[in-house]
Amino acid sequence: MPEFPKPTFSYEYDPDAQIDALREYEQNEPGRDVPAKAANRLLIATWNIANLEAHDRRDKDHRLMAEILRWFDVIALQEVRDNLGDLLQIQSHLPASYELLFTDPSGNDERMTFVSDASKVKLLQEVGEVAPAPASFRYIKLPGITQRFDGFDRNPYLATFQAGTFTFSLVNVHLYFGTDSTYSKNRRSLEAYAIARWADLRRNSDFALTKDIIPLGDFNLPLVQPGDEIYEALTARGLQLPPHSTQVGGATVGQDTHYDQVAFFPGDTQNDFTGQSGVFDFDGAIFAYLWDTRPLSDFYDYVRYYMSDHRPLWAEFRI
């Protein structure tokens, strides 16, 4: 993602007041609630925090992000840049039990990152990047696309966890976007299919550490519906994208796109899913004075720069 321009106007806020507004909105606004943490439930989330470290964020911005992250047990983050300063500042505002796990930087200088509450979630031995062998590239193909798959722009990041009796592998994904050209869309479709194929092969392997494989993250998926090229590629091997139990519009601020998703296969993982999932539109809670006093474009510019252009998406599972 190219960096968003820094707002040219001045707007200051009290982080304590904004945290109170987030909590009030999350608890009392219809359709916005995130389930409270429970010993027999696991809250998994994904959040693309735009250009983390590339923007000139402040400590109070880190506090707002940490407030949202602490509502969940394990979170996949995208767009964490090579410089870890912002990420470490966010961690400093989380409970001490929250740990970090991340890759080296790849496409767009991004690290794929997990944040997890070690008091609830145990990290298991299988951790690594998903990188299909070049010899298998010839099997990653789709009808109507003659373009070759040549590997991921950002290798998806696999980490396996255990919470209670639930052992699961999360696959943190940020698919290539590029442009709206046919080449870029084809490349994105092939990456989506590569994830689906890999996940399907692993869940059917006799040697898989777990068959509960959950790809999640920013799939740059325009529409969750048949006919969309990325959706068709992602679901071609059986992955399902659960409908949201909370409906607040799209996963991106000021738009109605469905880029961010949590996906899993029918069967065991689906049986563990409680049916509760949704997008948390933090932008509906914070910076109310800015919303009331400046043009809408200024509000969105401020939110995208100091917070993110993506909203967190979550799903709840039994453990």
mmCIF file with all atom_site columns, all heavy atoms in Angstrom, residues 59-71:
data_model
loop_
_atom_site.group_PDB
_atom_site.id
_atom_site.type_symbol
_atom_site.label_atom_id
_atom_site.label_alt_id
_atom_site.label_comp_id
_atom_site.label_asym_id
_atom_site.label_entity_id
_atom_site.label_seq_id
_atom_site.pdbx_PDB_ins_code
_atom_site.Cartn_x
_atom_site.Cartn_y
_atom_site.Cartn_z
_atom_site.occupancy
_atom_site.B_iso_or_equiv
_atom_site.pdbx_formal_charge
_atom_site.auth_seq_id
_atom_site.auth_comp_id
_atom_site.auth_asym_id
_atom_site.auth_atom_id
_atom_site.pdbx_PDB_model_num
ATOM 1   N N   . ASP A 1 59 ? 2.187   8.279  20.186 1.00 0.00 ? 59 ASP A N   1
ATOM 2   C CA  . ASP A 1 59 ? 1.916   7.324  21.253 1.00 0.00 ? 59 ASP A CA  1
ATOM 3   C C   . ASP A 1 59 ? 0.417   7.177  21.497 1.00 0.00 ? 59 ASP A C   1
ATOM 4   O O   . ASP A 1 59 ? -0.075  6.075  21.761 1.00 0.00 ? 59 ASP A O   1
ATOM 5   C CB  . ASP A 1 59 ? 2.614   7.755  22.539 1.00 0.00 ? 59 ASP A CB  1
ATOM 6   C CG  . ASP A 1 59 ? 2.490   6.702  23.631 1.00 0.00 ? 59 ASP A CG  1
ATOM 7   O OD1 . ASP A 1 59 ? 3.031   5.598  23.458 1.00 0.00 ? 59 ASP A OD1 1
ATOM 8   O OD2 . ASP A 1 59 ? 1.820   6.972  24.648 1.00 0.00 ? 59 ASP A OD2 1
ATOM 9   N N   . LYS A 1 60 ? -0.336  8.258  21.395 1.00 0.00 ? 60 LYS A N   1
ATOM 10  C CA  . LYS A 1 60 ? -1.774  8.159  21.633 1.00 0.00 ? 60 LYS A CA  1
ATOM 11  C C   . LYS A 1 60 ? -2.462  7.320  20.557 1.00 0.00 ? 60 LYS A C   1
ATOM 12  O O   . LYS A 1 60 ? -3.447  6.624  20.841 1.00 0.00 ? 60 LYS A O   1
ATOM 13  C CB  . LYS A 1 60 ? -2.401  9.547  21.744 1.00 0.00 ? 60 LYS A CB  1
ATOM 14  C CG  . LYS A 1 60 ? -2.237  10.451 20.548 1.00 0.00 ? 60 LYS A CG  1
ATOM 15  C CD  . LYS A 1 60 ? -2.792  11.829 20.876 1.00 0.00 ? 60 LYS A CD  1
ATOM 16  C CE  . LYS A 1 60 ? -2.614  12.818 19.748 1.00 0.00 ? 60 LYS A CE  1
ATOM 17  N NZ  . LYS A 1 60 ? -3.132  14.152 20.121 1.00 0.00 ? 60 LYS A NZ  1
ATOM 18  N N   . ASP A 1 61 ? -1.937  7.358  19.333 1.00 0.00 ? 61 ASP A N   1
ATOM 19  C CA  . ASP A 1 61 ? -2.483  6.504  18.283 1.00 0.00 ? 61 ASP A CA  1
ATOM 20  C C   . ASP A 1 61 ? -2.200  5.033  18.593 1.00 0.00 ? 61 ASP A C   1
ATOM 21  O O   . ASP A 1 61 ? -3.057  4.161  18.399 1.00 0.00 ? 61 ASP A O   1
ATOM 22  C CB  . ASP A 1 61 ? -1.878  6.871  16.927 1.00 0.00 ? 61 ASP A CB  1
ATOM 23  C CG  . ASP A 1 61 ? -2.005  8.341  16.607 1.00 0.00 ? 61 ASP A CG  1
ATOM 24  O OD1 . ASP A 1 61 ? -3.073  8.924  16.892 1.00 0.00 ? 61 ASP A OD1 1
ATOM 25  O OD2 . ASP A 1 61 ? -1.038  8.920  16.077 1.00 0.00 ? 61 ASP A OD2 1
ATOM 26  N N   . HIS A 1 62 ? -0.981  4.765  19.089 1.00 0.00 ? 62 HIS A N   1
ATOM 27  C CA  . HIS A 1 62 ? -0.639  3.394  19.492 1.00 0.00 ? 62 HIS A CA  1
ATOM 28  C C   . HIS A 1 62 ? -1.571  2.900  20.592 1.00 0.00 ? 62 HIS A C   1
ATOM 29  O O   . HIS A 1 62 ? -1.966  1.732  20.610 1.00 0.00 ? 62 HIS A O   1
ATOM 30  C CB  . HIS A 1 62 ? 0.808   3.337  19.991 1.00 0.00 ? 62 HIS A CB  1
ATOM 31  C CG  . HIS A 1 62 ? 1.816   3.779  18.983 1.00 0.00 ? 62 HIS A CG  1
ATOM 32  N ND1 . HIS A 1 62 ? 2.946   4.485  19.324 1.00 0.00 ? 62 HIS A ND1 1
ATOM 33  C CD2 . HIS A 1 62 ? 1.859   3.640  17.634 1.00 0.00 ? 62 HIS A CD2 1
ATOM 34  C CE1 . HIS A 1 62 ? 3.660   4.735  18.245 1.00 0.00 ? 62 HIS A CE1 1
ATOM 35  N NE2 . HIS A 1 62 ? 3.008   4.239  17.202 1.00 0.00 ? 62 HIS A NE2 1
ATOM 36  N N   . ARG A 1 63 ? -1.941  3.766  21.512 1.00 0.00 ? 63 ARG A N   1
ATOM 37  C CA  . ARG A 1 63 ? -2.831  3.382  22.606 1.00 0.00 ? 63 ARG A CA  1
ATOM 38  C C   . ARG A 1 63 ? -4.212  2.968  22.079 1.00 0.00 ? 63 ARG A C   1
ATOM 39  O O   . ARG A 1 63 ? -4.801  1.996  22.573 1.00 0.00 ? 63 ARG A O   1
ATOM 40  C CB  . ARG A 1 63 ? -2.988  4.533  23.594 1.00 0.00 ? 63 ARG A CB  1
ATOM 41  C CG  . ARG A 1 63 ? -1.786  4.766  24.491 1.00 0.00 ? 63 ARG A CG  1
ATOM 42  C CD  . ARG A 1 63 ? -2.112  5.781  25.571 1.00 0.00 ? 63 ARG A CD  1
ATOM 43  N NE  . ARG A 1 63 ? -3.209  5.325  26.423 1.00 0.00 ? 63 ARG A NE  1
ATOM 44  C CZ  . ARG A 1 63 ? -3.881  6.118  27.265 1.00 0.00 ? 63 ARG A CZ  1
ATOM 45  N NH1 . ARG A 1 63 ? -3.558  7.402  27.360 1.00 0.00 ? 63 ARG A NH1 1
ATOM 46  N NH2 . ARG A 1 63 ? -4.863  5.632  27.999 1.00 0.00 ? 63 ARG A NH2 1
ATOM 47  N N   . LEU A 1 64 ? -4.725  3.698  21.093 1.00 0.00 ? 64 LEU A N   1
ATOM 48  C CA  . LEU A 1 64 ? -6.031  3.344  20.528 1.00 0.00 ? 64 LEU A CA  1
ATOM 49  C C   . LEU A 1 64 ? -5.967  1.984  19.842 1.00 0.00 ? 64 LEU A C   1
ATOM 50  O O   . LEU A 1 64 ? -6.881  1.154  19.974 1.00 0.00 ? 64 LEU A O   1
ATOM 51  C CB  . LEU A 1 64 ? -6.492  4.408  19.538 1.00 0.00 ? 64 LEU A CB  1
ATOM 52  C CG  . LEU A 1 64 ? -6.766  5.811  20.066 1.00 0.00 ? 64 LEU A CG  1
ATOM 53  C CD1 . LEU A 1 64 ? -7.479  6.639  19.007 1.00 0.00 ? 64 LEU A CD1 1
ATOM 54  C CD2 . LEU A 1 64 ? -7.575  5.790  21.341 1.00 0.00 ? 64 LEU A CD2 1
ATOM 55  N N   . MET A 1 65 ? -4.901  1.734  19.084 1.00 0.00 ? 65 MET A N   1
ATOM 56  C CA  . MET A 1 65 ? -4.759  0.438  18.421 1.00 0.00 ? 65 MET A CA  1
ATOM 57  C C   . MET A 1 65 ? -4.652  -0.689 19.445 1.00 0.00 ? 65 MET A C   1
ATOM 58  O O   . MET A 1 65 ? -5.277  -1.750 19.286 1.00 0.00 ? 65 MET A O   1
ATOM 59  C CB  . MET A 1 65 ? -3.526  0.453  17.520 1.00 0.00 ? 65 MET A CB  1
ATOM 60  C CG  . MET A 1 65 ? -3.614  1.411  16.358 1.00 0.00 ? 65 MET A CG  1
ATOM 61  S SD  . MET A 1 65 ? -2.058  1.441  15.447 1.00 0.00 ? 65 MET A SD  1
ATOM 62  C CE  . MET A 1 65 ? -2.333  2.875  14.412 1.00 0.00 ? 65 MET A CE  1
ATOM 63  N N   . ALA A 1 66 ? -3.866  -0.457 20.488 1.00 0.00 ? 66 ALA A N   1
ATOM 64  C CA  . ALA A 1 66 ? -3.710  -1.481 21.519 1.00 0.00 ? 66 ALA A CA  1
ATOM 65  C C   . ALA A 1 66 ? -5.030  -1.770 22.221 1.00 0.00 ? 66 ALA A C   1
ATOM 66  O O   . ALA A 1 66 ? -5.320  -2.922 22.570 1.00 0.00 ? 66 ALA A O   1
ATOM 67  C CB  . ALA A 1 66 ? -2.653  -1.043 22.534 1.00 0.00 ? 66 ALA A CB  1
ATOM 68  N N   . GLU A 1 67 ? -5.843  -0.754 22.430 1.00 0.00 ? 67 GLU A N   1
ATOM 69  C CA  . GLU A 1 67 ? -7.147  -0.968 23.063 1.00 0.00 ? 67 GLU A CA  1
ATOM 70  C C   . GLU A 1 67 ? -7.986  -1.941 22.245 1.00 0.00 ? 67 GLU A C   1
ATOM 71  O O   . GLU A 1 67 ? -8.628  -2.839 22.805 1.00 0.00 ? 67 GLU A O   1
ATOM 72  C CB  . GLU A 1 67 ? -7.886  0.362  23.210 1.00 0.00 ? 67 GLU A CB  1
ATOM 73  C CG  . GLU A 1 67 ? -9.332  0.235  23.650 1.00 0.00 ? 67 GLU A CG  1
ATOM 74  C CD  . GLU A 1 67 ? -9.507  -0.429 25.002 1.00 0.00 ? 67 GLU A CD  1
ATOM 75  O OE1 . GLU A 1 67 ? -8.605  -0.326 25.859 1.00 0.00 ? 67 GLU A OE1 1
ATOM 76  O OE2 . GLU A 1 67 ? -10.565 -1.062 25.218 1.00 0.00 ? 67 GLU A OE2 1
ATOM 77  N N   . ILE A 1 68 ? -7.968  -1.793 20.930 1.00 0.00 ? 68 ILE A N   1
ATOM 78  C CA  . ILE A 1 68 ? -8.746  -2.695 20.078 1.00 0.00 ? 68 ILE A CA  1
ATOM 79  C C   . ILE A 1 68 ? -8.126  -4.085 20.064 1.00 0.00 ? 68 ILE A C   1
ATOM 80  O O   . ILE A 1 68 ? -8.835  -5.102 20.199 1.00 0.00 ? 68 ILE A O   1
ATOM 81  C CB  . ILE A 1 68 ? -8.838  -2.116 18.650 1.00 0.00 ? 68 ILE A CB  1
ATOM 82  C CG1 . ILE A 1 68 ? -9.637  -0.808 18.663 1.00 0.00 ? 68 ILE A CG1 1
ATOM 83  C CG2 . ILE A 1 68 ? -9.479  -3.120 17.697 1.00 0.00 ? 68 ILE A CG2 1
ATOM 84  C CD1 . ILE A 1 68 ? -9.601  -0.035 17.361 1.00 0.00 ? 68 ILE A CD1 1
ATOM 85  N N   . LEU A 1 69 ? -6.814  -4.176 19.953 1.00 0.00 ? 69 LEU A N   1
ATOM 86  C CA  . LEU A 1 69 ? -6.154  -5.480 19.879 1.00 0.00 ? 69 LEU A CA  1
ATOM 87  C C   . LEU A 1 69 ? -6.376  -6.303 21.139 1.00 0.00 ? 69 LEU A C   1
ATOM 88  O O   . LEU A 1 69 ? -6.500  -7.535 21.068 1.00 0.00 ? 69 LEU A O   1
ATOM 89  C CB  . LEU A 1 69 ? -4.660  -5.302 19.633 1.00 0.00 ? 69 LEU A CB  1
ATOM 90  C CG  . LEU A 1 69 ? -4.256  -4.728 18.272 1.00 0.00 ? 69 LEU A CG  1
ATOM 91  C CD1 . LEU A 1 69 ? -2.746  -4.548 18.199 1.00 0.00 ? 69 LEU A CD1 1
ATOM 92  C CD2 . LEU A 1 69 ? -4.743  -5.617 17.134 1.00 0.00 ? 69 LEU A CD2 1
ATOM 93  N N   . ARG A 1 70 ? -6.451  -5.655 22.292 1.00 0.00 ? 70 ARG A N   1
ATOM 94  C CA  . ARG A 1 70 ? -6.562  -6.399 23.543 1.00 0.00 ? 70 ARG A CA  1
ATOM 95  C C   . ARG A 1 70 ? -7.921  -7.076 23.690 1.00 0.00 ? 70 ARG A C   1
ATOM 96  O O   . ARG A 1 70 ? -8.108  -7.914 24.585 1.00 0.00 ? 70 ARG A O   1
ATOM 97  C CB  . ARG A 1 70 ? -6.283  -5.487 24.733 1.00 0.00 ? 70 ARG A CB  1
ATOM 98  C CG  . ARG A 1 70 ? -7.344  -4.444 24.991 1.00 0.00 ? 70 ARG A CG  1
ATOM 99  C CD  . ARG A 1 70 ? -6.872  -3.411 26.011 1.00 0.00 ? 70 ARG A CD  1
ATOM 100 N NE  . ARG A 1 70 ? -6.516  -4.026 27.276 1.00 0.00 ? 70 ARG A NE  1
ATOM 101 C CZ  . ARG A 1 70 ? -5.637  -3.516 28.136 1.00 0.00 ? 70 ARG A CZ  1
ATOM 102 N NH1 . ARG A 1 70 ? -5.019  -2.394 27.873 1.00 0.00 ? 70 ARG A NH1 1
ATOM 103 N NH2 . ARG A 1 70 ? -5.408  -4.132 29.275 1.00 0.00 ? 70 ARG A NH2 1
ATOM 104 N N   . TRP A 1 71 ? -8.880  -6.771 22.837 1.00 0.00 ? 71 TRP A N   1
ATOM 105 C CA  . TRP A 1 71 ? -10.177 -7.436 22.881 1.00 0.00 ? 71 TRP A CA  1
ATOM 106 C C   . TRP A 1 71 ? -10.095 -8.865 22.327 1.00 0.00 ? 71 TRP A C   1
ATOM 107 O O   . TRP A 1 71 ? -11.042 -9.640 22.492 1.00 0.00 ? 71 TRP A O   1
ATOM 108 C CB  . TRP A 1 71 ? -11.213 -6.665 22.062 1.00 0.00 ? 71 TRP A CB  1
ATOM 109 C CG  . TRP A 1 71 ? -11.469 -5.268 22.538 1.00 0.00 ? 71 TRP A CG  1
ATOM 110 C CD1 . TRP A 1 71 ? -11.091 -4.706 23.734 1.00 0.00 ? 71 TRP A CD1 1
ATOM 111 C CD2 . TRP A 1 71 ? -12.149 -4.236 21.821 1.00 0.00 ? 71 TRP A CD2 1
ATOM 112 N NE1 . TRP A 1 71 ? -11.512 -3.398 23.804 1.00 0.00 ? 71 TRP A NE1 1
ATOM 113 C CE2 . TRP A 1 71 ? -12.161 -3.083 22.637 1.00 0.00 ? 71 TRP A CE2 1
ATOM 114 C CE3 . TRP A 1 71 ? -12.756 -4.173 20.565 1.00 0.00 ? 71 TRP A CE3 1
ATOM 115 C CZ2 . TRP A 1 71 ? -12.752 -1.882 22.240 1.00 0.00 ? 71 TRP A CZ2 1
ATOM 116 C CZ3 . TRP A 1 71 ? -13.350 -2.983 20.165 1.00 0.00 ? 71 TRP A CZ3 1
ATOM 117 C CH2 . TRP A 1 71 ? -13.350 -1.851 20.999 1.00 0.00 ? 71 TRP A CH2 1
#
